């Protein structure tokens, strides 16, 4: 039997599940952006693994750039305050832009980013969210065009997602045991 990290309560998505999900998003983007050379923007740090896999699953020409924003710090609750820590190196005016996000929770981070990037006059901006967190009675502030999977309202780690910078290297998506962060 596969051994999971001792701090993990449940595994929500296995490596195999993740491969299928990313390949499916890659196929959709390849069809939708044929001949358009989209710029895929990875929101660091959480989306770095998803973006690396997604780029390889996109079969049409595309480029990548990176942005870093702060939203959660070392905690598990959204502060609602977003700060750009690292900006793009690429000019996006007139470009088709796809923001690759690890997990969409309240959507506040992306809503801020879309406003900031929209002011630079790209041709289009869409979101590819690897995960969307389902929270009863709450709708995220933005609607992603591409969604990998929905996860319940629990704190998840792995596949680039951290808790206090740990667990990013886990190859699966797991729910952290609450006693680890409480
Ligand atoms: P939002 O602004 O949509 O509420 O939060 C988005 C950001 O919060 C994500 O990019 C991610 O960095 C962080 N986040 C939200 N939920 C989780 C979670 O369950 N686990 C981890 N590791 N980060 C999360």
């Amino acid at each position: 039997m596969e051994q999971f990290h001792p701090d993990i309560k449940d595994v929500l998505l296995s490596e195999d599940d993740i491969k299928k999900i990313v390949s499916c998003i890659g196929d959709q983007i390849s069809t939708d952006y044929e001949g358009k050379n989209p710029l895929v923007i990875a929101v660091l740090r959480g989306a770095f693994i998803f973006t690396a896999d997604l780029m390889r699953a996109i079969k049409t020409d595309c480029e990548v750039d990176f942005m870093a924003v702060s939203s959660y710090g070392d905690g598990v609750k959204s502060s609602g305050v977003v700060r750009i820590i690292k900006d793009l190196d690429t000019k996006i005016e007139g470009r088709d832009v796809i923001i690759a996000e690890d997990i969409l929770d309240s959507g506040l981070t992306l809503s801020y980013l879309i406003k900031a990037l929209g002011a630079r006059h790209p041709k289009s901006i869409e979101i590819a969210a690897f995960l969307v967190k389902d929270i009863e009675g709450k709708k995220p502030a933005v609607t992603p065009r591409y969604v990998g999977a929905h996860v319940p309202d629990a704190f998840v780690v792995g596949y680039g997602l951290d808790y206090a910078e740990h667990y990013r290297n886990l190859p699966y998506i797991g729910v952290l045991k609450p006693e680890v962060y409480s």
Side-chain angles (χ1 to χ4, degrees):
M1 211 181 97
E2 201 172 347
Q3 286 299 304
F4 296 111
H5 192 289
D7 294 348
I8 297 296
K9 189 163 79 116
D10 293 310
V11 171
L12 297 182
L13 298 172
S14 68
E15 268 190 270
D16 259 8
D17 297 332
I18 292 173
K19 269 192 196 131
K20 284 181 198 137
I21 288 167
V22 176
S23 155
C24 181
I25 302 179
D27 286 348
Q28 293 172 57
I29 291 177
S30 306
T31 306
D32 296 348
Y33 288 85
E34 173 76 55
K36 291 186 172 170
N37 189 30
L39 177 71
V40 179
I41 298 176
V43 186
L44 299 174
R45 297 175 185 140
F48 81 108
I49 295 180
F50 169 50
T51 307
D53 285 346
L54 182 63
M55 290 295 286
R56 284 174 285 186
I58 298 175
K59 301 293 180 253
T60 186
D61 269 354
C62 60
E63 295 175 26
V64 70
D65 201 349
F66 304 90
M67 268 187 112
V69 297
S70 75
S71 54
Y72 270 28
D74 272 0
V76 294
K77 282 266 181 297
S78 181
S79 63
V81 178
V82 181
R83 220 157 38 94
I84 294 181
I85 294 167
K86 185 221 169 292
D87 207 338
L88 298 171
D89 293 320
T90 313
K91 283 213 169 71
I92 61 166
E93 190 175 343
R95 298 285 309 262
D96 289 301
V97 166
I98 302 169
I99 303 176
E101 170 74 319
D102 51 0
I103 185 165
L104 192 68
D105 188 346
S106 66
L108 287 175
T109 310
L110 282 189
S111 148
Y112 170 87
L113 259 190
I114 284 175
K115 261 192 221 125
L117 296 178
R120 301 177 193 182
H121 308 293
K123 192 168 166 204
S124 67
I125 305 186
E126 297 290 353
I127 298 164
F130 176 62
L131 300 175
V132 171
K133 201 178 268 193
D134 283 334
I135 306 172
E136 219 183 292
K138 269 203 188 165
K139 233 184 122 216
V142 292
T143 309
R145 174 148 177 197
Y146 308 98
V147 174
H150 290 261
V151 289
D153 188 9
F155 196 77
V156 298
V157 294
Y159 196 61
L161 286 152
D162 75 312
Y163 172 63
E165 293 307 323
H166 292 276
Y167 314 106
R168 292 193 197 275
N169 57 324
L170 300 182
Y172 48 82
I173 292 287
V175 179
L176 203 56
K177 288 181 182 162
E179 58 263 35
V180 177
Y181 56 80
S182 55

